[in-house]
Amino acid sequence: MASRLLITTTLFFCSILSFGQQFEGTGYLAILKRAGKYNIMDHNEIPNFEYQTSHNKNLVALRNNFNLDSIAGFGNEASRLLNLLHWVHNSVSHDGQHESGIKKINAKTILDAVRTKHIGVSCGELATTLNDCYLAMGWASRKIYCFPKDSLNNDNDSHVIDVVFLSSKKKWIWVDPTNDAYVMDEKGELLSIEEVRERLITNKPLIVNPDANWNHRNSMTKDYYLDIYMAKNLYRLYCPLKSEFDYETEGINKSIVYITLLPLDYHKKTNFKTQNNNNPDLKKTFYNIYNPDIFWQTPKDE
């Protein structure tokens, strides 16, 4: 039974988890619980988050060319958001074992490549696709990179999902296009990443939508998806400062800014502002903060 579980679960996500990591899975929630505390007194100022307007020509073309209005439908806000989640999941298969070769990180390029080359893409490329679709439809949304603590530097696995701001509830909600997944409380209310993380730590009820799945081959259950896999990867989070079409595509003299949210338990000494200059043509700047209120702040226009 254990070997069968190992074979199945290695297919689900962005990279293969070693047997040791799978065996250690029962301890991931304990690691997350030790990382429950943040520092709400951290008032370091970061640049403003930005969400591209749906009037951007690339987003207008995306909305029209892929008939996003029809896909979203005409129900309430939550149903329209989830219809787009389902469509991206059903349109784009996931392949966490191979590079897609796609150079431009935007929904149009990814959707075109998937349709013409019949390839799967990474969880990050799936998250980019859904994020651009939400922006095109006028919703504020963000691509969220989810990482483990990995104090031994031997876990190369991570996951990327999205959050979209649900105006009717004045909150961010969790949407995972790789697994067609969203998360609810015991009353059926849609939850944010922050709420899911807190509920995992405090043992409060969590429900994953029953049709959550990987590539229509394997169901996503709460016991594995949240209690093990995402418990592991909700330790450290970061996201692009600007949520806009093509923002993360590399280019000469390109500069990309990310905001990282760290728990007080984080084991590495980290400066407030760091830069990754490994690529001379691309400068990456990270602002490292410990205050979730800053990281999860409401979009300015809401």
Side-chain angles (χ1 to χ4, degrees):
M1 183 68 177
S3 61
R4 181 179 177 184
L5 177 62
L6 174 63
I7 292 170
T8 303
T9 53
T10 54
L11 295 173
F12 285 163
F13 300 101
C14 297
S15 60
I16 296 176
L17 299 175
S18 69
F19 177 79
Q21 290 166 323
Q22 288 294 322
F23 183 78
E24 187 188 10
T26 54
Y28 291 138
L29 192 52
I31 293 171
L32 184 65
K33 288 182 177 183
R34 290 194 292 271
K37 292 183 179 180
Y38 288 111
N39 179 12
I40 59 173
M41 300 306 294
D42 174 7
H43 296 304
N44 280 315
E45 292 190 9
I46 63 171
N48 292 328
F49 287 105
E50 297 180 25
Y51 306 93
Q52 193 167 48
T53 172
S54 60
H55 299 300
N56 171 270
K57 65 178 182 180
N58 293 307
L59 295 178
V60 170
L62 178 68
R63 183 173 183 166
N64 293 335
N65 293 342
F66 291 95
N67 300 311
L68 297 185
D69 289 277
S70 296
I71 292 164
F74 302 97
N76 62 30
E77 184 184 26
S79 72
R80 287 183 283 129
L81 293 173
L82 295 179
N83 283 342
L84 287 168
L85 165 68
H86 302 322
W87 177 75
V88 170
H89 175 77
N90 292 331
S91 301
V92 183
S93 62
H94 174 246
D95 181 352
Q97 310 306 317
H98 306 94
E99 293 287 340
S100 70
I102 299 170
K103 300 301 182 184
K104 290 193 174 184
I105 304 176
N106 64 67
K108 181 183 184 305
T109 302
I110 294 167
L111 287 166
D112 286 346
V114 166
R115 292 183 175 188
T116 59
K117 299 180 181 179
H118 306 290
I119 59 173
V121 302
S122 70
C123 57
E125 287 162 318
L126 272 150
T128 291
T129 303
L130 182 58
N131 190 68
D132 284 355
C133 288
Y134 283 144
L135 293 174
M137 293 294 290
W139 283 295
S141 61
R142 286 197 232 165
K143 179 179 175 181
I144 307 294
Y145 291 83
C146 307
F147 277 80
K149 182 176 183 178
D150 192 24
S151 57
L152 299 178
N153 294 316
N154 62 359
D155 187 350
N156 295 318
D157 174 83
S158 61
H159 195 39
V160 190
I161 65 175
D162 296 296
V163 291
V164 57
F165 195 79
L166 188 63
S167 297
S168 57
K169 296 291 185 179
K170 299 298 181 185
K171 64 183 292 186
W172 295 105
I173 63 167
W174 169 308
V175 275
D176 178 356
T178 298
N179 299 296
D180 201 13
Y182 52 93
V183 187
M184 299 165 284
D185 65 12
E186 65 274 21
K187 296 179 181 179
E189 293 290 328
L190 295 169
L191 298 177
S192 65
I193 290 179
E194 183 179 26
E195 290 172 316
V196 172
R197 191 180 190 277
E198 186 272 335
R199 280 177 167 262
L200 281 170
I201 289 169
T202 57
N203 300 316
K204 293 179 180 178
L206 288 166
I207 301 170
V208 178
N209 55 301
D211 53 345
N213 70 89
W214 178 81
N215 281 350
H216 296 283
R217 299 181 197 175
N218 303 90
S219 294
M220 283 290 101
T221 64
K222 187 260 184 184
D223 289 347
Y224 181 78
Y225 177 61
L226 292 182
D227 293 349
I228 297 177
Y229 190 72
M230 291 310 297
K232 176 178 82 74
N233 285 325
L234 289 175
Y235 184 92
R236 174 170 60 96
L237 308 172
Y238 73 83
C239 69
L241 178 71
K242 297 181 180 182
S243 187
E244 62 183 42
F245 191 93
D246 235 17
Y247 181 65
E248 292 183 287
T249 296
E250 297 186 7
I252 297 175
N253 298 322
K254 185 74 178 283
S255 179
I256 305 175
V257 178
Y258 294 94
I259 309 299
T260 302
L261 177 62
L262 299 170
L264 287 175
D265 178 72
Y266 191 55
H267 56 288
K268 295 180 182 178
K269 184 177 181 180
T270 306
N271 294 326
F272 168 56
K273 184 178 180 180
T274 58
Q275 290 187 335
N276 184 343
N277 297 316
N278 295 334
N279 184 343
D281 293 330
L282 176 66
K283 182 174 73 173
K284 291 184 178 181
T285 301
F286 290 82
Y287 288 89
N288 304 296
I289 62 174
Y290 294 84
N291 188 340
D293 294 341
I294 295 175
F295 190 82
W296 296 118
Q297 62 186 270
T298 299
K300 297 296 183 183
D301 294 335
E302 296 290 342

